[in-house]
Amino acid sequence: GNLDAWKDFEKSKVYMADLESGLHYLLRVELATHQTLVGEELSTFKDFVTVVAKLFPGRQSVVKLLETLLEWLVSLPLKKIPYDAILDLVNNKMRISEMFLSDQLQWVGCQGTRVGLRGYPCSMWTLFHVLTVQAARRPDALANTGLEENPKAVLQTMRRYIVNFFGCQECGKHFEEMAAESLPQVKSLDEAVLWLWRKHNQVNRRLAGTMSEDPNFPKTQWPSPDLCPTCHEEQDGIHVWNDDKVLVFLKQHYGAANISPKHLR
Ligand code: FAD
């Protein structure tokens, strides 16, 4: 078949193919630019793997890989980890059964009109929205990891990942500024879900009409009224969000039951 063919998808769904493609890109491409992980980079990567191993609502084979990676990182007393050792594990050189992460990029909800648009950055937003929602729905999931009791754990892990590893450095700078300004105010797992939504809309507003925008996917304030009519209200002629409705919508949209396996290979 034609590998470049446009894949049909629904805006009201989240696609596991985007999440797995994002994890593949993160682990095998983005991380590969760091020869060894040490210090802040290593502790950031450990926290990232902890969060995804415990919260990623994925296929058993992928969750098994993330759990194995976590066990290995936790059991190693090393202060430095060569990237090649991580890659060997991700590629399952040990042939642990039922452990697998595809090395194909397959963008569905994140497919762009041309290469260089959407794809990986879109999947990172999607992944962290899914993770904040999972954390709010399953508050005990991070028990005994050192990240429990902290409603900001997922967001702080995202913040540190973006600053230390995300290929787009300007993005890291902007995200860091937003986080420094308003992350301390987040006091609950639900507020964490809403914080990421609000900040994502702030980024959408800033990027509307710039080179980052895919002409077929204009940057808008999300969710649009057709996705969530009750999220939108008017007060004295001014548009306002109904945060309670937005929270309910986010928990549904990014919840495990709304993640489609369509186009997964
Ligand atoms: P994305 O913004 O990637 O969104 C993906 C999907 O999420 C959308 O299709 C929609 O379904 C959903 N969505 C949209 N808005 C929201 C929301 N508010 N809440 C929940 N879900 C939503 N690019 C730059 O050029 N400059 C930057 O400074 C920059 N900073 C970034 C910072 C971070 C942390 C990340 C992850 C990315 C950043 N990017 C930046 C990339 C940029 O935000 C987009 O990811 C990229 O342009 C692709 O856009 P997209 O159309 O796929 O939609």
Side-chain angles (χ1 to χ4, degrees):
N2 178 5
L3 289 175
D4 294 329
W6 190 258
K7 294 180 268 318
D8 52 296
F9 73 100
E10 293 167 53
K11 282 198 162 133
S12 59
K13 293 240 167 263
V14 171
Y15 290 87
M16 190 54 79
D18 291 325
L19 298 172
E20 286 192 11
S21 296
L23 283 175
H24 152 67
Y25 189 93
L26 186 155
L27 291 167
R28 295 201 185 90
V29 181
E30 193 158 78
L31 217 57
T33 62
H34 299 246
Q35 260 189 16
T36 44
L37 299 187
V38 53
E40 167 65 11
E41 286 185 358
L42 181 55
S43 78
T44 299
F45 183 64
K46 268 188 189 167
D47 282 357
F48 174 78
V49 175
T50 304
V51 164
V52 284
K54 300 289 180 185
L55 295 173
F56 186 65
R59 289 198 273 187
Q60 192 50 48
S61 57
V62 175
V63 172
K64 170 87 176 179
L65 186 143
L66 297 170
E67 286 171 351
T68 306
L69 186 53
L70 177 59
E71 270 169 42
W72 178 76
L73 285 170
V74 168
S75 68
L76 276 179
L78 300 176
K79 291 229 161 26
K80 261 188 197 183
I81 296 189
Y83 170 70
D84 286 344
I86 296 170
L87 186 63
D88 281 353
L89 196 146
V90 169
N91 288 340
N92 198 6
K93 291 274 168 64
M94 304 82 154
R95 307 209 164 274
I96 297 171
S97 67
E98 309 291 315
M99 170 169 134
F100 182 69
L101 177 66
S102 167
D103 63 0
Q104 308 285 307
L105 283 179
Q106 175 84 328
W107 306 120
V108 180
C110 285
Q111 65 196 309
T113 302
R114 55 174 174 77
V115 171
L117 290 174
R118 310 198 72 225
Y120 180 61
C122 170
S123 74
M124 281 298 271
W125 281 118
T126 310
L127 174 66
F128 280 101
H129 288 300
V130 166
L131 295 174
T132 54
V133 164
Q134 278 292 106
R137 286 183 157 217
R138 300 176 44 226
D140 298 331
L142 292 174
N144 306 317
T145 61
L147 298 176
E148 69 272 28
E149 320 262 327
N150 177 4
K152 296 191 280 273
V154 172
L155 294 177
Q156 275 164 346
T157 302
M158 173 180 183
R159 174 185 182 175
R160 289 167 68 213
Y161 185 86
I162 297 291
V163 169
N164 285 298
F165 295 103
F166 198 50
C168 164
Q169 287 179 359
E170 179 204 302
C171 303
K173 213 181 117 246
H174 284 132
F175 196 68
E176 181 54 36
E177 281 166 16
M178 294 196 302
E181 183 188 297
S182 59
L183 195 54
Q185 288 136 40
V186 170
K187 302 280 187 253
S188 72
L189 293 166
D190 282 349
E191 283 174 32
V193 172
L194 283 171
W195 185 89
L196 192 58
W197 160 73
R198 224 173 263 123
K199 295 301 134 182
H200 191 172
N201 269 343
Q202 211 170 304
V203 174
N204 293 342
R205 176 160 287 130
R206 183 161 51 77
L207 296 180
T210 67
M211 299 262 293
S212 305
E213 186 172 63
D214 186 322
N216 289 312
F217 295 87
K219 309 262 178 219
T220 56
Q221 295 302 288
W222 187 97
S224 57
D226 60 311
L227 274 180
C228 181
T230 58
C231 290
H232 300 263
E233 282 178 5
E234 218 178 89
Q235 265 170 26
D236 305 323
I238 297 171
H239 174 268
V240 288
W241 293 103
N242 181 326
D243 285 1
D244 295 338
K245 296 286 167 50
V246 170
L247 180 62
V248 171
F249 175 78
L250 290 168
K251 284 185 168 177
Q252 180 276 325
H253 184 80
Y254 288 108
N258 196 45
I259 304 179
S260 167
K262 212 172 165 203
H263 304 293
L264 266 181
R265 292 194 240 202

